[in-house]
Amino acid sequence: MNPALILASESQYKKNILERLEIVFSTEAPAIDETPRPGESARALSSRLAQHKAEKIAAQYPEAIVISTDQSAELDGVILGKPITIENARSMLQKLSGESVSFFTSVGVIAPNQPCLIHTEEVFVTLRELDDQEIERYLEKDKPLNCAGSFKVESLGISLFTSVKSEDPTALEGLPLIRLCQWLRDHGFKIP
């Protein structure tokens, strides 16, 4: 029998992705400070936060396998945060219009008595030229205020793109399943 599996997140998006694997898991919010460190890249931020989340929950549940994830985005070396307000989302989408953005999604796994495994997947997203009316319609319909880049790829956000380049299409949604499936199989999970 497999150990308990805990997703170190209470994000409904991440739960939905993990549910695709049809395995039993619970969730636990790690509640950590996600502030970038001075000079930290989006890739380093994503990796550090995924590891910190996994380690925090693993310390509380040492007999479980803990899965963590974090995603950061950057444009021209500047980290893009979650917009939180409609004004910030509007401004971000205006800035991203016609641009290519790098998204870094890290997945971490800690099994009992083992070190944390971390993998970071980079996804390149190119947005088409967006006019103000398109941005307003999109924001009104999707309300992506808690999403890096101000869009939801799993919803209408895909309509804003001209291309997505990645080794793992689930990475842009927030949890790179290809690597995670391999790690879970390594721990005895039957997928499929």
Side-chain angles (χ1 to χ4, degrees):
M1 182 165 183
N2 294 318
L5 191 61
I6 301 173
L7 175 63
S9 174
E10 290 190 329
S11 161
Q12 190 59 52
Y13 306 119
K14 293 177 176 101
K15 286 183 203 177
N16 291 346
I17 298 167
L18 190 55
E19 285 173 351
R20 294 179 197 172
L21 301 183
E22 298 183 4
I23 55 178
V24 176
F25 67 94
S26 61
T27 61
E28 189 75 36
I32 63 167
D33 179 4
E34 299 190 13
T35 306
R37 293 177 176 162
E40 188 171 38
S41 69
R43 177 185 287 275
L45 174 65
S46 173
S47 178
R48 176 177 63 83
L49 293 180
Q51 182 165 350
H52 190 185
K53 290 173 183 179
E55 290 171 346
K56 182 167 184 179
I57 300 304
Q60 296 170 27
Y61 301 94
E63 300 304 314
I65 293 178
V66 177
I67 299 168
S68 65
T69 186
D70 192 79
Q71 184 177 67
S72 298
E74 71 180 23
L75 175 66
D76 299 327
V78 176
I79 294 175
L80 305 173
K82 296 175 182 175
I84 309 303
T85 69
I86 197 79
E87 294 78 18
N88 290 344
R90 182 182 302 115
S91 176
M92 190 175 294
L93 287 174
Q94 288 168 340
K95 182 190 281 188
L96 297 180
S97 175
E99 299 289 340
S100 292
V101 183
S102 289
F103 282 81
F104 300 94
T105 308
S106 297
V107 59
V109 169
I110 295 183
N113 304 310
Q114 294 186 13
C116 184
L117 301 174
I118 294 288
H119 169 73
T120 301
E121 189 72 36
E122 184 171 9
V123 180
F124 300 96
V125 176
T126 302
L127 282 80
R128 61 187 176 80
E129 294 286 341
L130 305 170
D131 64 36
D132 289 343
Q133 292 79 20
E134 289 172 314
I135 290 171
E136 291 306 317
R137 281 194 309 271
Y138 173 70
L139 293 174
E140 182 180 318
K141 290 182 182 215
D142 242 5
K143 298 176 180 48
L145 304 184
N146 61 346
C147 301
S150 298
F151 60 77
K152 296 179 184 178
V153 68
E154 66 279 2
S155 188
L156 287 173
I158 196 75
S159 71
L160 306 178
F161 305 164
T162 59
S163 70
V164 176
K165 296 177 185 165
S166 174
E167 301 271 326
D168 183 341
T170 59
L172 189 56
E173 293 180 56
L175 183 59
L177 288 182
I178 292 174
R179 181 61 58 99
L180 177 60
C181 285
Q182 182 58 57
W183 285 343
L184 291 176
R185 283 191 299 270
D186 291 346
H187 287 289
F189 287 83
K190 304 297 184 202
I191 306 172

